[in-house]
Amino acid sequence: MIVGTRSIPMSEHTCRRTLNMSPTVKKIAMSGWSGLARRNARLIFRDRRDAGQVLAEELASYRGRDNLLVLGLARGGVPVGWEVASFLRAPLDVFLVRKLGVPQWRELAMGAIATGGGMVVNDNLVRNLGISDEQLQATIARETEELHRRESAYRGERAPVDISGNTVILVDDGIATGASMLAAVRAVRAANPAKVVVAVPVGPESACKQLGEEADDVVCATMPPGFEAVGQVFEDFHQVTDDEVRELLATPTV
């Protein structure tokens, strides 16, 4: 769950949550709130490409639309995003988000930063763990440097695609706390898109629901009861390499 978060920088924004459902999805039980599709609570994917194909069908109502852009969160979201973009006949680009790990326990996220300056910090966690402002700023500086390095590695001299006026579908291989995706949503929103859609194969219902408060549409293919980790619904969940990301970005989707 995302609690006590703040965004730097981010203006106040209130959005309407809607659900764009394919005919197949319309037959599936909803979780009880607008903006979230649950296809199967116990779905298992072969790998990220398989997950992307399943997720693409959930997004079928966007297929063929003008001014549509798919952004895959690096690195794991790019293979999923490629399948989505190919099915929807939309261009694909990479979007960078870096987790802000707690000092001495970096797997635990105290926030996230994203391309374009979007940032989310879990104030409650920072306060409860006694993390100093100096420690927080040092983590932000380190992860910002790595974010810029990866942007250069993936794009080279190519500029990011223009987000303004587009319907942007943000794709990752799953969400856990939702902090990384929330940072991405806020960063994309600051670039004045027509609409922001979050699409993931798996995540806990609580995090998906909270993302629906800021995104215009949230589609999560499966929300397992007793969610523990994104990898629990994948047979193959190997770490995606930089070379894989570059290869996928170089492969046309339209």
Side-chain angles (χ1 to χ4, degrees):
M1 182 178 294
I2 308 164
V3 293
T5 59
R6 56 189 165 98
S7 172
I8 309 173
M10 178 63 194
S11 59
E12 292 296 323
H13 179 88
T14 302
C15 62
R16 179 174 61 88
R17 293 173 293 166
T18 60
L19 178 64
N20 294 277
M21 297 182 291
S22 66
T24 301
V25 178
K26 287 180 181 178
K27 300 177 182 179
I28 298 164
M30 301 302 298
S31 66
W33 62 280
S34 176
L36 177 65
R38 175 165 54 189
R39 185 177 186 274
N40 188 323
R42 298 186 182 278
L43 194 63
I44 299 294
F45 307 107
R46 290 191 304 274
D47 53 24
R48 290 179 178 87
R49 303 294 288 268
D50 179 45
Q53 292 165 16
V54 172
L55 189 59
E57 293 190 10
E58 303 272 3
L59 296 160
S61 62
Y62 290 98
R63 192 176 192 187
R65 290 192 187 184
D66 294 331
N67 302 316
L68 184 65
L69 172 64
V70 176
L71 297 180
L73 272 62
R75 289 177 289 193
V78 176
V80 183
W82 192 93
E83 297 294 339
V84 170
S86 180
F87 179 83
L88 298 182
R89 303 170 187 155
L92 170 72
D93 200 6
V94 65
F95 197 82
L96 275 292
V97 178
R98 293 292 298 172
K99 177 173 64 180
L100 300 175
V102 169
Q104 310 305 320
W105 193 8
R106 293 190 180 181
E107 289 305 307
L108 177 61
M110 58 180 173
I113 58 172
T115 295
M119 183 182 299
V120 173
V121 174
N122 187 326
D123 288 325
N124 289 348
L125 183 63
V126 169
R127 182 174 56 255
N128 291 339
L129 295 181
I131 298 167
S132 69
D133 188 61
E134 289 75 14
Q135 289 175 308
L136 176 60
Q137 294 303 321
T139 302
I140 291 172
R142 181 181 66 248
E143 296 303 335
T144 298
E145 182 178 356
E146 177 61 14
L147 185 148
H148 290 159
R149 184 198 71 79
R150 290 197 180 192
E151 282 188 318
S152 178
Y154 298 150
R155 287 202 185 93
E157 298 300 318
R158 181 173 59 86
V161 296
D162 186 16
I163 290 174
S164 178
N166 286 314
T167 293
V168 177
I169 302 180
L170 284 163
V171 179
D172 204 355
D173 55 9
I175 57 174
T177 66
S180 295
M181 184 60 81
L182 182 58
V185 169
R186 290 178 175 177
V188 167
R189 182 74 74 188
N192 299 313
K195 187 174 184 178
V196 181
V197 180
V198 169
V200 292
V202 61
E205 184 170 350
S206 58
C208 291
K209 186 172 182 179
Q210 192 146 8
L211 283 165
E213 296 175 3
E214 301 213 21
D216 299 295
D217 191 358
V218 177
V219 177
C220 183
T222 181
M223 294 180 292
F227 175 88
E228 295 179 358
V230 170
Q232 75 185 71
V233 299
F234 288 87
E235 294 176 358
D236 175 4
F237 197 62
H238 71 276
Q239 182 169 310
V240 177
T241 66
D242 288 350
D243 286 342
E244 287 180 86
V245 172
R246 283 189 286 265
E247 181 179 352
L248 286 165
L249 292 175
T251 305
T253 55
V254 289

